[in-house]
Short mmCIF file of all heavy atoms in Angstrom, two decimals:
data_model
loop_
_atom_site.label_atom_id
_atom_site.label_comp_id
_atom_site.label_asym_id
_atom_site.label_seq_id
_atom_site.Cartn_x
_atom_site.Cartn_y
_atom_site.Cartn_z
N THR A 298 -22.81 20.55 9.05
CA THR A 298 -22.95 20.40 10.52
C THR A 298 -21.73 19.67 11.09
O THR A 298 -20.90 19.11 10.35
CB THR A 298 -24.20 19.64 10.88
OG1 THR A 298 -24.06 18.27 10.44
CG2 THR A 298 -25.45 20.26 10.24
N LEU A 299 -21.67 19.64 12.40
CA LEU A 299 -20.61 18.90 13.08
C LEU A 299 -20.72 17.41 12.78
O LEU A 299 -19.70 16.69 12.77
CB LEU A 299 -20.67 19.14 14.59
CG LEU A 299 -20.00 20.44 15.06
CD1 LEU A 299 -20.40 20.78 16.48
CD2 LEU A 299 -18.47 20.33 14.94
N GLU A 300 -21.95 16.91 12.56
CA GLU A 300 -22.10 15.50 12.15
C GLU A 300 -21.43 15.22 10.83
O GLU A 300 -20.77 14.20 10.65
CB GLU A 300 -23.59 15.15 12.11
CG GLU A 300 -24.27 15.05 13.49
CD GLU A 300 -25.71 14.66 13.37
OE1 GLU A 300 -26.29 14.81 12.28
OE2 GLU A 300 -26.28 14.19 14.39
N ILE A 347 -15.53 13.85 20.79
CA ILE A 347 -16.17 15.10 21.25
C ILE A 347 -17.53 15.28 20.57
O ILE A 347 -18.53 15.58 21.21
CB ILE A 347 -15.27 16.29 20.94
CG1 ILE A 347 -14.03 16.25 21.87
CG2 ILE A 347 -16.01 17.62 21.16
CD1 ILE A 347 -13.00 17.33 21.56
N VAL A 348 -17.57 15.07 19.26
CA VAL A 348 -18.83 15.25 18.51
C VAL A 348 -19.85 14.22 18.96
O VAL A 348 -21.05 14.51 19.11
CB VAL A 348 -18.60 15.17 16.98
CG1 VAL A 348 -19.92 15.27 16.24
CG2 VAL A 348 -17.64 16.27 16.54
N ASP A 349 -19.41 12.97 19.20
CA ASP A 349 -20.33 11.92 19.67
C ASP A 349 -20.93 12.25 21.01
O ASP A 349 -22.02 11.76 21.34
CB ASP A 349 -19.59 10.58 19.74
CG ASP A 349 -19.34 9.98 18.37
OD1 ASP A 349 -20.01 10.39 17.40
OD2 ASP A 349 -18.46 9.09 18.24
N SER A 350 -20.24 13.07 21.83
CA SER A 350 -20.75 13.40 23.15
C SER A 350 -21.76 14.53 23.12
O SER A 350 -22.33 14.88 24.17
CB SER A 350 -19.57 13.78 24.08
OG SER A 350 -18.69 12.68 24.27
N MET A 351 -21.97 15.12 21.98
CA MET A 351 -22.95 16.21 21.85
C MET A 351 -24.35 15.66 21.59
O MET A 351 -24.50 14.53 21.10
CB MET A 351 -22.54 17.17 20.71
CG MET A 351 -21.23 17.88 20.91
SD MET A 351 -20.84 18.93 19.50
CE MET A 351 -19.22 19.54 19.96
N THR A 352 -25.36 16.45 21.87
CA THR A 352 -26.70 16.08 21.50
C THR A 352 -26.92 16.38 20.03
O THR A 352 -26.18 17.18 19.43
CB THR A 352 -27.75 16.90 22.31
OG1 THR A 352 -27.62 18.30 21.94
CG2 THR A 352 -27.50 16.75 23.83
N PRO A 353 -27.93 15.76 19.38
CA PRO A 353 -28.20 16.06 17.98
C PRO A 353 -28.41 17.55 17.71
O PRO A 353 -27.94 18.08 16.70
CB PRO A 353 -29.48 15.26 17.69
CG PRO A 353 -29.42 14.12 18.64
CD PRO A 353 -28.79 14.68 19.88
N ALA A 354 -29.06 18.25 18.65
CA ALA A 354 -29.32 19.69 18.46
C ALA A 354 -28.00 20.45 18.51
O ALA A 354 -27.79 21.41 17.69
CB ALA A 354 -30.26 20.19 19.57
N GLU A 355 -27.08 20.05 19.36
CA GLU A 355 -25.78 20.73 19.46
C GLU A 355 -24.92 20.51 18.22
O GLU A 355 -24.20 21.40 17.77
CB GLU A 355 -25.02 20.25 20.72
CG GLU A 355 -25.67 20.73 22.01
CD GLU A 355 -25.13 20.03 23.24
OE1 GLU A 355 -24.47 18.95 23.09
OE2 GLU A 355 -25.36 20.50 24.35
N ARG A 356 -25.02 19.31 17.66
CA ARG A 356 -24.27 19.02 16.45
C ARG A 356 -24.75 19.85 15.26
O ARG A 356 -23.98 20.32 14.44
CB ARG A 356 -24.34 17.54 16.09
CG ARG A 356 -23.67 16.61 17.09
CD ARG A 356 -23.93 15.16 16.72
NE ARG A 356 -23.66 14.27 17.84
CZ ARG A 356 -24.31 13.13 18.04
NH1 ARG A 356 -25.28 12.74 17.22
NH2 ARG A 356 -24.01 12.41 19.07
N ARG A 357 -26.09 20.03 15.22
CA ARG A 357 -26.67 20.81 14.13
C ARG A 357 -26.44 22.30 14.30
O ARG A 357 -26.31 23.03 13.32
CB ARG A 357 -28.17 20.50 13.99
CG ARG A 357 -28.49 19.10 13.46
CD ARG A 357 -29.98 18.97 13.14
NE ARG A 357 -30.81 19.09 14.32
CZ ARG A 357 -31.21 18.05 15.08
NH1 ARG A 357 -30.80 16.81 14.75
NH2 ARG A 357 -31.96 18.24 16.12
N ASN A 358 -26.41 22.77 15.52
CA ASN A 358 -26.27 24.18 15.80
C ASN A 358 -25.27 24.43 16.92
O ASN A 358 -25.65 24.55 18.10
CB ASN A 358 -27.61 24.79 16.16
CG ASN A 358 -27.55 26.29 16.38
OD1 ASN A 358 -26.59 26.93 15.97
ND2 ASN A 358 -28.53 26.87 17.05
N PRO A 359 -23.98 24.47 16.60
CA PRO A 359 -22.94 24.60 17.65
C PRO A 359 -23.06 25.89 18.45
O PRO A 359 -22.48 26.02 19.53
CB PRO A 359 -21.62 24.58 16.85
CG PRO A 359 -21.97 23.96 15.56
CD PRO A 359 -23.38 24.34 15.29
N ALA A 360 -23.84 26.87 17.92
CA ALA A 360 -23.92 28.17 18.62
C ALA A 360 -24.58 28.03 20.00
O ALA A 360 -24.38 28.90 20.86
CB ALA A 360 -24.75 29.13 17.74
N ILE A 361 -25.35 26.96 20.25
CA ILE A 361 -26.02 26.81 21.53
C ILE A 361 -25.11 26.21 22.59
O ILE A 361 -25.50 26.05 23.74
CB ILE A 361 -27.28 25.93 21.38
CG1 ILE A 361 -26.91 24.49 21.03
CG2 ILE A 361 -28.23 26.48 20.35
CD1 ILE A 361 -28.09 23.53 21.04
N LEU A 362 -23.86 25.89 22.21
CA LEU A 362 -22.94 25.30 23.17
C LEU A 362 -22.35 26.39 24.06
O LEU A 362 -21.31 26.99 23.75
CB LEU A 362 -21.81 24.55 22.40
CG LEU A 362 -22.17 23.17 21.87
CD1 LEU A 362 -21.16 22.76 20.78
CD2 LEU A 362 -22.24 22.15 22.96
N ASN A 363 -22.98 26.61 25.20
CA ASN A 363 -22.48 27.57 26.18
C ASN A 363 -21.44 26.88 27.07
O ASN A 363 -21.09 25.71 26.82
CB ASN A 363 -23.63 28.16 26.98
CG ASN A 363 -24.46 27.06 27.68
OD1 ASN A 363 -23.94 25.97 27.93
ND2 ASN A 363 -25.71 27.38 27.99
N GLY A 364 -21.01 27.58 28.09
CA GLY A 364 -19.93 27.07 28.93
C GLY A 364 -20.28 25.76 29.59
O GLY A 364 -19.49 24.82 29.63
N SER A 365 -21.49 25.64 30.17
CA SER A 365 -21.87 24.42 30.88
C SER A 365 -22.00 23.23 29.91
O SER A 365 -21.63 22.12 30.25
CB SER A 365 -23.16 24.63 31.65
OG SER A 365 -24.24 24.95 30.75
N ARG A 366 -22.55 23.52 28.76
CA ARG A 366 -22.67 22.44 27.76
C ARG A 366 -21.29 21.94 27.29
O ARG A 366 -21.07 20.73 27.13
CB ARG A 366 -23.47 22.94 26.54
CG ARG A 366 -24.98 23.09 26.77
CD ARG A 366 -25.66 23.71 25.55
NE ARG A 366 -27.09 23.87 25.74
CZ ARG A 366 -28.03 23.05 25.22
NH1 ARG A 366 -27.66 22.03 24.51
NH2 ARG A 366 -29.29 23.34 25.41
N ARG A 367 -20.38 22.88 27.09
CA ARG A 367 -19.04 22.49 26.68
C ARG A 367 -18.33 21.67 27.75
O ARG A 367 -17.63 20.72 27.41
CB ARG A 367 -18.21 23.74 26.33
CG ARG A 367 -18.78 24.50 25.16
CD ARG A 367 -17.92 25.69 24.74
NE ARG A 367 -18.56 26.49 23.71
CZ ARG A 367 -17.92 27.32 22.88
NH1 ARG A 367 -16.60 27.45 22.96
NH2 ARG A 367 -18.58 28.02 21.98
N ALA A 368 -18.56 22.03 29.00
CA ALA A 368 -17.98 21.26 30.09
C ALA A 368 -18.55 19.83 30.11
O ALA A 368 -17.80 18.86 30.35
CB ALA A 368 -18.22 21.96 31.41
N ARG A 369 -19.86 19.73 29.87
CA ARG A 369 -20.48 18.41 29.85
C ARG A 369 -19.94 17.54 28.70
O ARG A 369 -19.65 16.35 28.86
CB ARG A 369 -21.99 18.57 29.69
CG ARG A 369 -22.80 17.27 29.86
CD ARG A 369 -24.15 17.27 29.15
NE ARG A 369 -23.99 17.12 27.74
CZ ARG A 369 -24.35 18.01 26.80
NH1 ARG A 369 -24.88 19.17 27.16
NH2 ARG A 369 -24.19 17.74 25.54
N VAL A 370 -19.76 18.16 27.52
CA VAL A 370 -19.25 17.45 26.37
C VAL A 370 -17.82 16.97 26.64
O VAL A 370 -17.41 15.84 26.27
CB VAL A 370 -19.29 18.34 25.12
CG1 VAL A 370 -18.52 17.70 23.95
CG2 VAL A 370 -20.73 18.62 24.69
N ALA A 371 -17.03 17.82 27.30
CA ALA A 371 -15.64 17.47 27.61
C ALA A 371 -15.60 16.28 28.54
O ALA A 371 -14.80 15.33 28.33
CB ALA A 371 -14.92 18.66 28.24
N ARG A 372 -16.45 16.26 29.56
CA ARG A 372 -16.50 15.13 30.51
C ARG A 372 -16.92 13.84 29.78
O ARG A 372 -16.33 12.76 29.98
CB ARG A 372 -17.47 15.40 31.66
CG ARG A 372 -16.97 16.44 32.65
CD ARG A 372 -17.81 16.39 33.92
NE ARG A 372 -19.23 16.65 33.64
CZ ARG A 372 -19.80 17.86 33.61
NH1 ARG A 372 -19.03 18.93 33.83
NH2 ARG A 372 -21.08 17.99 33.36
N SER A 374 -16.53 13.02 26.67
CA SER A 374 -15.59 12.55 25.68
C SER A 374 -14.18 12.27 26.23
O SER A 374 -13.30 11.86 25.50
CB SER A 374 -15.46 13.57 24.53
OG SER A 374 -15.04 14.85 25.05
N PRO A 378 -12.39 21.17 28.27
CA PRO A 378 -13.13 22.25 27.64
C PRO A 378 -12.28 22.96 26.57
O PRO A 378 -12.81 23.42 25.55
CB PRO A 378 -13.48 23.20 28.79
CG PRO A 378 -13.59 22.26 29.98
CD PRO A 378 -12.49 21.27 29.77
N ASP A 380 -10.13 21.54 24.61
CA ASP A 380 -10.23 20.70 23.41
C ASP A 380 -11.52 20.96 22.67
O ASP A 380 -11.53 21.01 21.43
CB ASP A 380 -10.12 19.21 23.78
CG ASP A 380 -8.77 18.82 24.31
OD1 ASP A 380 -7.76 19.41 23.84
OD2 ASP A 380 -8.70 17.95 25.20
N VAL A 381 -12.60 21.11 23.39
CA VAL A 381 -13.89 21.37 22.75
C VAL A 381 -13.88 22.71 22.07
O VAL A 381 -14.34 22.85 20.92
CB VAL A 381 -15.03 21.31 23.80
CG1 VAL A 381 -16.39 21.64 23.17
CG2 VAL A 381 -15.09 19.92 24.47
N ASN A 382 -13.33 23.71 22.74
CA ASN A 382 -13.26 25.05 22.14
C ASN A 382 -12.41 25.05 20.89
O ASN A 382 -12.75 25.70 19.87
CB ASN A 382 -12.64 26.05 23.16
CG ASN A 382 -13.56 26.32 24.31
OD1 ASN A 382 -14.78 26.13 24.24
ND2 ASN A 382 -12.99 26.72 25.45
N ARG A 383 -11.31 24.30 20.93
CA ARG A 383 -10.42 24.20 19.76
C ARG A 383 -11.16 23.56 18.59
O ARG A 383 -11.02 24.01 17.43
CB ARG A 383 -9.18 23.37 20.13
CG ARG A 383 -8.09 23.45 19.06
CD ARG A 383 -6.86 22.64 19.44
NE ARG A 383 -6.35 23.06 20.77
CZ ARG A 383 -6.36 22.30 21.84
NH1 ARG A 383 -6.87 21.08 21.79
NH2 ARG A 383 -5.89 22.73 22.98
N LEU A 384 -11.92 22.52 18.86
CA LEU A 384 -12.64 21.84 17.79
C LEU A 384 -13.69 22.80 17.16
O LEU A 384 -13.80 22.86 15.93
CB LEU A 384 -13.38 20.59 18.33
CG LEU A 384 -14.44 19.98 17.42
CD1 LEU A 384 -13.82 19.54 16.11
CD2 LEU A 384 -15.13 18.83 18.11
N LEU A 385 -14.42 23.52 17.99
CA LEU A 385 -15.44 24.44 17.45
C LEU A 385 -14.80 25.52 16.60
O LEU A 385 -15.36 25.89 15.57
CB LEU A 385 -16.23 25.05 18.60
CG LEU A 385 -17.08 24.06 19.44
CD1 LEU A 385 -17.73 24.75 20.62
CD2 LEU A 385 -18.14 23.39 18.56
N LYS A 386 -13.65 25.99 17.01
CA LYS A 386 -12.94 26.97 16.20
C LYS A 386 -12.46 26.39 14.86
O LYS A 386 -12.64 27.02 13.82
CB LYS A 386 -11.71 27.51 16.99
CG LYS A 386 -10.95 28.59 16.26
CD LYS A 386 -9.76 29.08 17.08
CE LYS A 386 -8.96 30.11 16.30
NZ LYS A 386 -7.76 30.59 17.08
N PHE A 388 -13.81 23.86 13.33
CA PHE A 388 -14.99 23.60 12.52
C PHE A 388 -15.48 24.90 11.83
O PHE A 388 -15.80 24.89 10.64
CB PHE A 388 -16.12 23.05 13.40
CG PHE A 388 -17.44 22.94 12.69
CD1 PHE A 388 -17.64 22.06 11.64
CD2 PHE A 388 -18.53 23.76 13.07
CE1 PHE A 388 -18.84 21.97 10.97
CE2 PHE A 388 -19.72 23.67 12.40
CZ PHE A 388 -19.89 22.77 11.36
N GLY A 389 -15.46 25.99 12.55
CA GLY A 389 -15.85 27.27 11.94
C GLY A 389 -14.94 27.66 10.82
O GLY A 389 -15.39 28.12 9.76
N ARG A 392 -15.57 25.39 7.76
CA ARG A 392 -16.80 25.72 7.07
C ARG A 392 -16.58 26.95 6.20
O ARG A 392 -17.06 26.98 5.04
CB ARG A 392 -17.92 25.95 8.07
CG ARG A 392 -19.29 26.13 7.41
CD ARG A 392 -20.44 25.75 8.27
NE ARG A 392 -20.49 26.50 9.52
CZ ARG A 392 -21.51 26.38 10.39
NH1 ARG A 392 -22.52 25.58 10.12
NH2 ARG A 392 -21.51 27.06 11.52
#
Side-chain angles (χ1 to χ4, degrees):
T298 68
L299 278 165
E300 288 182 340
I347 291 173
V348 177
D349 285 342
S350 296
M351 297 178 184
T352 66
E355 290 167 344
R356 293 174 197 149
R357 290 191 295 268
N358 182 18
I361 67 174
L362 282 162
N363 56 26
S365 61
R366 285 174 180 259
R367 296 185 187 201
R369 190 204 74 242
V370 170
R372 287 194 302 271
S374 59
D380 292 326
V381 177
N382 292 337
R383 190 179 306 113
L384 167 61
L385 294 175
K386 181 180 179 181
F388 172 67
R392 187 153 58 173

